[in-house]
Amino acid sequence: MAMDRRELRNCFGRFATGVTVVTCLHEQGSHGFTANSFTSVSLDPPLVLVSVDRKTRALPYLKGNRFTVNILRDDQQQTAMHFAGKSQHPAPFEWDGTRIAGSLAYIDCDPWAEYDGGDHVLIVGKVTRFEYEDGAPLAFYGGKFSKVASPE
């Protein structure tokens, strides 16, 4: 029996995630894409994984390159949309190297490994530096941006 891809995507969408923008610097400039398929992998060594759609225009710049995972704040929805292919002018963010200024957290990585993930490439990075602040994250649930309830 064939699986309905849209329904599978809807099922996956029941898992609430944070929203990140993965960025890198290349000789042709700064590049990035919005990703909610991001996870920590290991503390020793410190590793993270990003799942990148093979059709993502920034993928060729990311492969084998250092990158930054920018974990977005709840007020950075327009930044997420910009890097999801809905470019806005002027850009709704400022660059700070490969970092998106004002993000909730930054995780700078060196390339560690790449794996075939079907229609995605699984990129593992070794964490070289990180910073974070308190605040509310931008969340994604059921195909829409969402809010995370504050702990009480």
Side-chain angles (χ1 to χ4, degrees), residues 17-22 33-38 50-52 70 83:
T17 67
V19 180
T20 69
V21 171
V22 179
F33 62 95
T34 299
N36 64 344
S37 189
F38 156 78
V50 178
S51 180
V52 187
N70 300 270
F83 283 98

Side-chain angles (χ1 to χ4, degrees), residues 19-131:
V19 180
T20 69
V21 171
V22 179
T23 55
C24 64
L25 187 59
H26 191 267
E27 60 193 29
Q28 296 176 344
S30 298
H31 300 276
F33 62 95
T34 299
N36 64 344
S37 189
F38 156 78
T39 189
S40 60
V41 174
S42 170
L43 292 174
D44 187 17
L47 302 174
V48 299
L49 180 143
V50 178
S51 180
V52 187
D53 189 315
R54 290 185 186 277
K55 293 181 255 170
T56 298
R57 290 189 318 239
L59 179 60
Y61 305 110
L62 184 64
K63 289 176 120 293
N65 196 0
R66 293 182 185 144
F67 62 93
T68 299
V69 178
N70 300 270
I71 299 174
L72 300 186
R73 284 183 189 279
D74 63 352
D75 64 355
Q76 291 180 298
Q77 183 174 336
Q78 294 305 313
T79 298
M81 295 303 295
H82 179 87
F83 283 98
K86 304 220 178 354
S87 295
Q88 300 168 39
H89 300 285
F93 66 92
E94 292 182 22
W95 288 106
D96 181 7
T98 57
R99 295 175 169 195
I100 303 295
S103 294
L104 191 59
Y106 308 98
I107 304 168
D108 295 327
C109 301
D110 282 342
W112 176 268
E114 292 180 13
Y115 301 97
D116 179 12
D119 60 2
H120 282 61
V121 176
L122 307 178
I123 297 180
V124 179
K126 183 174 184 183
V127 178
T128 58
R129 187 170 165 222
F130 65 90
E131 292 179 28

